[in-house]
Amino acid sequence: MAKYNVEITWNSGAASVVQLDGATKLRANFTVEELANTKATDSVKLILNAEVMEFLDMIQEFRKWFNKSMTVSSFYRTASFNKSCGGSSNSLHLLALAMDWYIQGHTEQQRSNVKNKWEQICKAHGKIGGINYYTNGYHLDCAEDKFGYKTFQTRDYRGKTGDW
């Protein structure tokens, strides 16, 4: 398994870059490799800090509820990679506070259940989160307050620009 450079910011504010094996589990169902920006040319492929670790707790809680495998398409993005793929310049992926994942064939009821559970998890953690619907998946985040929102945000991009 490949090794990845991971920047860890400690509670003191000091940061270190360490190499972690891609198979290293950051949470029960999420490895370094699936969360790292492996397509980026930058040397650091993932960042970790207290806020990211709490987000990982939240998505692990969601994954346990979902009770199915989740194919992560995007978690952390380096600034250069984010720009190259047309991501927003203030994307929460730049902070590793957003996760996109694929799933096909979800009904409206299933989408509603996913939204309601993610909103419940965000509230339980005191976070202003959000969800984006895409034709083939979802975007989950936990930091909509960084954009000035005071309530959970839901966006539907199915069939619109940026849909995947």
Side-chain angles (χ1 to χ4, degrees):
M1 178 73 53
K3 294 192 179 291
Y4 299 99
N5 287 337
V6 178
E7 181 181 285
I8 300 173
T9 302
W10 308 100
N11 289 338
S12 66
S16 307
V17 175
V18 298
Q19 275 202 339
L20 294 179
D21 188 279
T24 302
K25 288 190 173 205
L26 295 175
R27 292 296 180 264
N29 296 102
F30 297 98
T31 64
V32 166
E33 184 166 66
E34 67 187 322
L35 301 177
N37 193 175
T38 59
K39 295 176 184 170
T41 57
D42 307 74
S43 63
V44 171
K45 305 295 186 187
L46 182 63
I47 59 170
L48 298 174
N49 57 42
E51 195 173 18
V52 173
M53 298 309 283
E54 183 175 13
F55 180 54
L56 288 173
D57 289 341
M58 293 167 69
I59 63 172
Q60 179 60 47
E61 187 178 335
F62 177 84
R63 168 59 180 81
K64 185 177 177 182
W65 167 83
F66 193 63
N67 199 29
K68 295 178 188 136
S69 65
M70 296 169 68
T71 303
V72 177
S73 59
S74 184
F75 184 78
Y76 172 66
R77 293 182 192 160
T78 64
S80 61
F81 180 81
N82 187 61
K83 185 175 182 179
S84 74
C85 71
S88 170
S89 62
N90 62 354
S91 171
L92 291 171
H93 289 285
L94 297 167
L95 303 173
L97 297 177
M99 181 180 79
D100 297 342
W101 55 283
Y102 283 103
I103 190 153
Q104 294 193 357
H106 252 192
T107 66
E108 288 306 309
Q109 183 59 56
Q110 289 167 319
R111 287 186 184 278
S112 179
N113 291 345
V114 165
K115 178 220 171 253
N116 291 340
K117 185 60 177 180
W118 185 244
E119 186 173 10
Q120 177 186 53
I121 290 169
C122 289
K123 283 182 182 177
H125 285 262
K127 302 291 183 183
I128 306 295
I131 186 169
N132 296 351
Y133 297 137
Y134 296 101
T135 298
N136 294 314
Y138 298 89
H139 163 102
L140 305 176
D141 70 61
C142 69
E144 292 287 333
D145 55 315
K146 291 183 185 303
F147 307 119
Y149 293 105
K150 303 208 181 305
T151 60
F152 188 88
Q153 296 297 299
T154 304
R155 299 175 189 92
D156 191 341
Y157 291 108
R158 292 175 288 171
K160 298 176 184 168
T161 302
D163 188 16
W164 46 268

